[in-house]
Amino acid sequence: MFKKIIIIIGIVLLGNWAKAQDPGVSDVVITPGVVESGGNATFSFNLYNASSTGLTTWSSGDSFALQVIVSLSDAVPSDTSTISNSITGTWSGKFDWSYDSGSNTITGIQKEDIAGETLTVPSAGSIEIAVENTAESAQSDPNCGFIVNLTPPATAVSMNLDDDSKNIYTYTEVVVTTCSKSPLTTGTPEVTKAGISTLSQTPTDNWPLDVNNGFIVLESTNKGFVVTRHTTAELSNIENPIEGMLIYDTTAKCLKLYKNGAWTCVKKSCN
């Protein structure tokens, strides 16, 4: 009798698992982790069907298809006129995409069947949205990001709505843009009076005096110059930073300059 009860319970549970439709959202990511003010970024997430029952499309209208709704914050698609140009990923082709500039919302309507998972093969794919930042936000109040919500089709049977909404936000950084100019070739150059070398002998007999207009010369054939490295969070630990101080931010992956009371990435932009 006890064995029969166990078998019956197992059959019921297996039957419910096989019938339930269970799409979901996971792995929401913003790349890069800190967005350049006015720069480009990628908003990405994964969609999945954690059920053996597939999600079938119908010709009865949008209400009979799975809908993916992405609400953007402080960002717009990189191509607002043809939204599909801004969306890639392994499952991007399973949806028809549209963009509403008034609500700053991207909507994907399922147009292809989504298979159910098996015991050995998951049913999952990625969505990646190329965006441009439209507003600055501070690290203390990150507001550049998105919310993704799934709307189940009207034909859904035992739809499990758990894990059907995810969101992620980050902050922005102002990038210092600089222009370079050709070196001065007229007039009398000043010699560089100090140098550090890892070479067994100096490059020339008159080194470093024959290197013009420098403060110090570093010479090596197999070494690099490394500035102090910090994560973004560690920058607040620097006591009394001064204008012109340089560090390398290992979080933002850039050389940063302390200017006008803030740490900003240095980037060459004009030539």
Side-chain angles (χ1 to χ4, degrees), residues 126-203:
S126 61
I127 302 293
E128 299 176 357
I129 305 173
V131 300
E132 295 179 2
N133 171 249
T134 57
E136 296 179 15
S137 61
Q139 185 174 2
S140 59
D141 185 25
N143 198 44
C144 179
F146 65 98
I147 302 173
V148 55
N149 290 288
L150 300 186
T151 300
T155 55
V157 179
S158 301
M159 178 73 75
N160 184 354
L161 299 181
D162 294 340
D163 210 19
D164 284 1
S165 179
K166 294 285 185 180
N167 66 81
I168 185 173
Y169 298 94
T170 187
Y171 59 97
T172 61
E173 288 189 324
V174 178
V175 175
V176 178
T177 57
T178 60
C179 291
S180 61
K181 296 182 179 180
S182 300
L184 182 65
T185 57
T186 60
T188 303
E190 295 185 7
V191 299
T192 303
K193 299 179 181 180
I196 300 175
S197 174
T198 63
L199 306 179
S200 58
Q201 62 183 35
T202 58

Side-chain angles (χ1 to χ4, degrees), residues 1-13:
M1 181 66 179
F2 183 72
K3 290 183 178 179
K4 289 182 179 179
I5 293 175
I6 293 177
I7 292 173
I8 292 172
I9 292 175
I11 292 174
V12 171
L13 291 176

Side-chain angles (χ1 to χ4, degrees), residues 43-173:
F43 293 171
S44 61
F45 54 91
N46 287 343
L47 298 175
Y48 63 85
N49 182 16
S51 168
S52 62
T53 303
L55 294 166
T56 304
T57 57
W58 300 81
S59 58
S60 303
D62 294 348
S63 64
F64 288 83
L66 176 68
Q67 297 188 33
V68 180
I69 302 172
V70 184
S71 301
L72 306 179
S73 175
D74 285 358
V76 295
S78 58
D79 188 342
T80 56
S81 59
T82 307
I83 185 61
S84 58
N85 291 339
S86 300
I87 302 177
T88 57
T90 58
W91 273 20
S92 61
K94 293 184 179 294
F95 298 86
D96 280 324
W97 299 97
S98 62
Y99 173 64
D100 179 14
S101 59
S103 61
N104 200 20
T105 299
I106 298 172
T107 300
I109 306 296
Q110 181 189 354
K111 66 177 182 179
E112 295 182 5
D113 291 350
I114 295 176
E117 68 174 5
T118 68
L119 294 177
T120 57
V121 180
S123 177
S126 61
I127 302 293
E128 299 176 357
I129 305 173
V131 300
E132 295 179 2
N133 171 249
T134 57
E136 296 179 15
S137 61
Q139 185 174 2
S140 59
D141 185 25
N143 198 44
C144 179
F146 65 98
I147 302 173
V148 55
N149 290 288
L150 300 186
T151 300
T155 55
V157 179
S158 301
M159 178 73 75
N160 184 354
L161 299 181
D162 294 340
D163 210 19
D164 284 1
S165 179
K166 294 285 185 180
N167 66 81
I168 185 173
Y169 298 94
T170 187
Y171 59 97
T172 61
E173 288 189 324

